[in-house]
Amino acid sequence: MRIVKNGDVHVSAPIGMPKKLVERFIEEHREWIAEARKKTSESQKRRADFYNKLPLQTREQVEDAMQRLKALIEPMVDRHTKEMGVKPSAVRYRAMISRWGVCNVQNKSICFSYYLLLLPEWCVEHVVVHELCHLLEPSHNARFHALMDKFFPRWKEARKTIRQVTSPRRIYFPTQKLLSANISR
């Protein structure tokens, strides 16, 4: 059982489990569901508050964010492309909430989120190196992680910092154990 961003309850159960048993399980965990929904809502509010720190409602605000982001990122891209021996075909900037950066490995272009401006500079550099590493290795496999270790050794710390600052925690309930316990009664 898990609570998703909009507060809905999603329950996974083995195929063939009687609906009554699933409903009883949900009923037995009403208090947990209420608390989990409350935490999810609070987390979503914190996330929205974080992103709202960078206003992007007007053309002027967007232009200002793009100029500041370019000034921050372009020197990082220049430095790391020389060090890594890669060259993106284009570097773009957009308002993306679900991703900090995107690398299109087919055309070798990279796009960065305006919201990087809300992160510490060293975490922004982590995102830059991450996207540049995708020009050398498209997937997040062992080779990719070895490249991150080589070109930005603090990448795990940066990723953890970014997640702490921005990501709402997903709330899970260990259903498999409880469902098994309920079935065996």
Side-chain angles (χ1 to χ4, degrees), residues 130-143:
H130 181 107
E131 298 310 327
L132 291 172
C133 278
H134 280 306
L135 296 175
L136 297 169
E137 177 54 54
S139 64
H140 292 121
N141 58 19
R143 180 172 181 259

Side-chain angles (χ1 to χ4, degrees), residues 140-154:
H140 292 121
N141 58 19
R143 180 172 181 259
F144 177 86
H145 292 120
L147 290 166
M148 287 299 297
D149 288 336
K150 178 179 179 181
F151 296 115
F152 197 83
R154 292 178 65 196

Side-chain angles (χ1 to χ4, degrees), residues 76-89 108 110 128-129 131-137 143 147 150-151:
M76 293 178 186
V77 170
D78 290 343
R79 183 172 68 253
H80 288 290
T81 55
K82 290 175 184 141
E83 177 188 3
M84 298 169 72
V86 296
K87 181 87 171 133
S89 62
K108 301 199 180 305
I110 297 176
V128 169
V129 173
E131 298 310 327
L132 291 172
C133 278
H134 280 306
L135 296 175
L136 297 169
E137 177 54 54
R143 180 172 181 259
L147 290 166
K150 178 179 179 181
F151 296 115

Side-chain angles (χ1 to χ4, degrees), residues 164-182:
Q164 286 173 340
V165 170
T166 63
S167 295
R169 279 189 231 128
R170 285 191 216 144
I171 300 171
Y172 290 99
F173 194 81
T175 58
Q176 205 57 8
K177 188 175 182 183
L178 287 169
L179 283 174
S180 298
N182 284 340

